[in-house]
Amino acid sequence: MTERRSQDELRASHADRDIVVERLREAAGEGRLDLDELEERLERALSARTYGELAALTADLPGPGAPTPAATPAPLAPRPAARPVPAELTIKGGVGGAERTGHWRAPARIIARGGMGGVKLDFTLAELSALETEVEIQGGMGGVTLVVPAGWAIDAQDFEGDLGGFKNKTQHVVPDERTPGLRLTGNGGIGGAVVRHPNRWERRRLKENPS
């Protein structure tokens, strides 16, 4: 008991947290966690300080749980898509708007043209073909909204907000070679661009109709 307690009290690293974050996302994809549980556990994983705190987040999940001090972290990779994913996807908002939500396959590069109706891309349950997805934004009148899970890194250094501006409402993440995220290019136009986490209504809708 003393040995177990002392191990649980050891400090966890960024790599240890990344392993647990990936396991939680896999569990959500398998239907073992709903979106509310996933978000809550992801937030706790990202702020965990010890192995014991990480172990508690995966204790009720089958398969490997939290890492141990002697374990070698396995590199995280995007979940393979069932069908080939095109190298590039263009989404046009047009007059009525356009969106991608639920389960969808995201290529490594996406062009989002807001048009009049705007574009919304929800990556919460998306299958990635690359850890970093480039999104070229042309905001137009309607603007572009990007929804990402907790733990994603957002690189907007090459993005121009233009008249509509740019708002990043996500939690700040220091990326490494295993951190998923978005690299934004292009400009916000008049409608601008927003990056945020799922709100309560979106989490409820995805839970009731995940497809």
Side-chain angles (χ1 to χ4, degrees):
M1 181 66 70
T2 302
E3 179 181 355
R4 175 64 180 176
R5 182 165 56 250
S6 62
Q7 176 176 303
D8 285 348
E9 293 171 353
L10 291 177
R11 292 279 179 164
S13 68
H14 290 308
D16 300 324
R17 297 184 190 94
D18 289 341
I19 292 174
V20 174
V21 165
E22 181 65 13
R23 179 65 192 106
L24 292 174
R25 289 198 181 111
E26 290 176 353
E30 295 163 355
R32 303 182 192 279
L33 297 175
D34 63 32
L35 291 172
D36 289 331
E37 291 173 320
L38 174 61
E39 182 178 17
E40 177 188 357
R41 295 196 191 195
L42 285 176
E43 291 178 356
R44 290 169 57 190
L46 292 171
S47 61
R49 292 181 295 179
T50 66
Y51 285 101
E53 292 174 358
L54 289 176
L57 299 176
T58 57
D60 59 348
L61 300 176
T68 63
T72 302
L76 304 183
R79 189 178 296 111
R83 298 192 301 271
V85 180
E88 184 174 290
L89 171 66
T90 298
I91 300 178
K92 301 178 181 179
V95 177
E99 65 178 25
R100 290 290 189 278
T101 61
H103 292 282
W104 62 287
R105 287 180 281 277
R109 174 175 162 78
I110 300 173
I111 302 173
R113 304 186 186 278
M116 294 290 291
V119 166
K120 174 183 172 183
L121 303 177
D122 189 337
F123 292 89
T124 307
L125 297 178
E127 296 179 2
L128 305 180
S129 58
L131 278 178
E132 182 180 73
T133 302
E134 178 188 350
V135 181
E136 178 185 326
I137 295 174
Q138 302 297 333
M141 294 287 291
V144 174
T145 298
L146 307 174
V147 183
V148 300
W152 279 37
I154 305 300
D155 179 357
Q157 297 183 61
D158 298 323
F159 178 74
E160 297 290 339
D162 211 345
L163 293 176
F166 172 67
K167 295 181 181 179
N168 183 0
K169 300 181 179 181
T170 66
Q171 300 170 346
H172 176 67
V173 173
V174 179
D176 58 26
E177 66 276 8
R178 291 178 294 270
T179 304
L182 303 180
R183 182 168 68 88
L184 309 184
T185 61
N187 66 86
I190 297 177
V194 176
V195 185
R196 58 175 174 78
H197 297 310
N199 58 36
R200 185 178 299 275
W201 182 84
E202 289 164 337
R203 295 196 303 268
R204 181 179 302 171
R205 186 180 69 167
L206 288 173
K207 180 180 178 180
E208 295 173 351
N209 185 21
S211 61

